Amino acid sequence: MSTVDIVLAGARGHGRWHLENIRRLQDKGIVRLAGICELTPLAAGEVPEGLGTPEQSADFGALLDSTGARIAVICTPIPTHTDLALEAARRGVHILLEKPPAPSYAEFRRMADGVAAAGVVCQIGFQSLGSHAVPAIRQLIADGAVGDLVGVGGAGAWARPESYYTRAPWAGRRRLNGVDVIDGALTNPLAHAVATGLALNGSTRAEDVTRIETELLHANDIESDDTSCVRISTAQGRPVTVAATLCAEDPDDPYVLVHGTRGRITFWYKQDRVLLQRADHGPEEYDHGRTDLLENLVDHLTDGTDLLVPPDATGAFMKVVEAIRTAPDPAPLPESAWHLVPGEDRRVVPGVDGLVAASADTLALYSELGAPWVVDALPKEVST
């Protein structure tokens, strides 16, 4: 198998993870990092050892041309995703596009339709959907292990320091210079909980979404949401509810909870770990492997392996992004609802960890759980 040349757009921040992953695949002889696109070139010490001296340029199109790369990994600010993906597609370059794929459903469709018209392949970077636990859970559901599927809940109780929102001009913004960004808890850091919940519910395509209820709030001094929940009604007749916060008291691994009439399945998607609990059985735990999405994209191009996360498989997720984009601006939590943790530069909402877990447990929204800081005046937007 010949080595596939890659250009990485966006090599700082989360892009450092992609550099390390590309190095791992380069060590296996699968890919070669041919170029890095950054506004300011990486210094020698910023390029992981073993990656050589890839060509660097701030001009993405010119870099694709000069390197002859076959794949572009795009890990740049959310509003740039569509234009960069289309620039690669016009050159016949295949794409691994970081999540969220776009800041609006219109931009998502422009990207997905343009990529399809160009005849190139695009993989969306929801790494959790590469977990072998996903098909294993689907099989458990199909086999009736937990009875009939009732719905899926997601829970994400994370913490981010105030500096998280000053790391980049777009961080924590809904819009920047008149352009949609939509960098909220559910659309970016905990987007995997939404996408994975939808996938396990069998509701991945845009047409699977029939109604969306949102409750968007923030404790930090930002435009976007850092404490929010969403309930998605689906054509399958089963709800998907995800509650998230970046203001947890005791941050823990996020998870997705599958509810059945005779049991439940908990999936800690960052660990690829599954817990099956069902009537008349003891608890059963399973650890699964994971297929890397860049490696899967290379395998798709070289031997026809099925692509794991094509754009259409994220259409339902993008409907959620659109509902959050068009919802009233997130409501600020009263100062009495949060406090700064001494020495940790982060805001905490007391009791939010329990509310996040209760939402996944009951498929209820914060307001239905009696969250004291969800005032009656909180706008609640329903999208259809």
Side-chain angles (χ1 to χ4, degrees):
M1 182 180 70
S2 59
T3 301
V4 176
D5 282 354
I6 289 177
V7 160
L8 171 62
R12 294 189 172 96
H14 183 60
R16 290 193 293 267
W17 181 90
H18 284 287
L19 280 173
E20 292 291 349
N21 192 46
I22 290 167
R23 179 175 67 172
R24 180 183 67 84
L25 297 180
Q26 186 163 304
D27 288 346
K28 293 171 70 172
I30 295 172
V31 305
R32 182 181 76 91
L33 183 62
I36 295 172
C37 182
E38 269 287 356
L39 296 178
T40 304
L42 270 62
E46 293 182 279
V47 180
E49 189 176 341
L51 284 174
T53 54
E55 185 179 340
Q56 298 200 56
S57 173
D59 187 326
F60 183 56
L63 189 60
L64 294 176
D65 291 340
S66 62
T67 60
R70 194 173 177 200
I71 292 176
V73 177
I74 298 173
C75 183
T76 54
I78 302 164
T80 67
H81 284 184
T82 292
D83 285 342
L84 290 179
L86 293 179
E87 192 161 352
R90 283 193 293 271
R91 289 170 165 80
V93 177
H94 306 286
I95 304 150
L96 173 63
L97 181 62
E98 256 303 338
K99 59 82 190 161
S104 70
Y105 190 75
E107 282 293 276
F108 168 72
R109 281 269 45 104
R110 184 165 75 90
M111 179 277 296
D113 293 345
V115 164
V120 301
V121 173
C122 181
Q123 177 103 282
I124 307 299
F126 282 108
Q127 290 291 341
S128 61
L129 299 184
S131 176
H132 303 165
V134 172
I137 293 170
R138 285 174 171 156
Q139 190 61 53
L140 285 171
I141 294 168
D143 291 344
V146 291
D148 295 330
L149 186 57
V150 174
V152 178
W158 274 4
R160 290 292 183 268
E162 290 184 320
S163 58
Y164 176 77
Y165 299 106
T166 58
R167 75 192 192 282
W170 54 269
R173 301 293 296 268
R174 281 171 70 76
R175 293 167 194 88
L176 183 63
N177 301 324
V179 176
D180 287 320
V181 176
I182 320 301
D183 178 42
L186 289 165
T187 54
N188 195 4
L190 287 159
H192 285 92
V194 180
T196 308
L198 287 164
L200 294 181
N201 196 56
S203 311
T204 58
R205 296 179 178 271
E207 55 267 31
D208 292 326
V209 175
T210 58
R211 184 173 184 261
I212 300 172
E213 301 163 82
T214 60
E215 292 184 353
L216 309 174
L217 307 105
H218 60 89
N220 285 277
D221 186 17
I222 56 175
E223 287 181 355
S224 201
D225 58 288
D226 59 33
T227 299
S228 46
C229 59
V230 62
R231 182 163 54 210
I232 307 144
S233 301
T234 68
Q236 289 72 27
R238 303 180 296 264
V240 176
T241 302
V242 182
T245 186
L246 302 179
C247 304
E249 294 178 280
D250 297 301
D252 206 353
D253 271 342
Y255 60 89
V256 173
L257 183 56
V258 174
H259 294 268
T261 54
R262 296 200 308 275
R264 52 199 258 168
I265 303 167
T266 308
F267 174 32
W268 290 271
Y269 57 79
K270 288 181 69 67
Q271 304 175 34
D272 302 310
R273 183 163 65 94
V274 173
L275 172 64
L276 171 62
Q277 297 167 291
R278 49 184 172 162
D280 303 320
H281 290 75
E284 302 167 53
E285 279 205 46
Y286 307 93
D287 291 310
H288 293 273
R290 176 178 292 211
T291 298
D292 175 72
L293 295 185
L294 178 55
E295 192 165 359
N296 172 249
L297 174 57
V298 172
D299 289 345
H300 176 78
L301 296 176
T302 55
D303 63 21
T305 300
D306 287 346
L307 197 67
L308 287 171
V309 197
D312 280 354
T314 66
F317 170 80
M318 282 307 308
K319 284 292 189 179
V320 176
V321 173
E322 182 69 6
I324 291 171
R325 184 185 78 86
T326 57
D329 285 344
L333 290 173
E335 289 190 14
S336 59
W338 59 268
H339 65 264
L340 269 171
V341 178
E344 292 189 30
D345 178 40
R346 68 182 183 93
R347 300 186 184 191
V348 160
V349 177
V352 73
D353 303 35
L355 285 164
V356 165
S359 174
D361 237 9
T362 63
L363 306 179
L365 300 173
Y366 289 146
S367 60
E368 296 165 345
L369 294 167
W373 29 258
V374 180
V375 295
D376 292 340
L378 175 72
K380 188 162 100 173
E381 187 75 4
V382 177
S383 263
T384 55

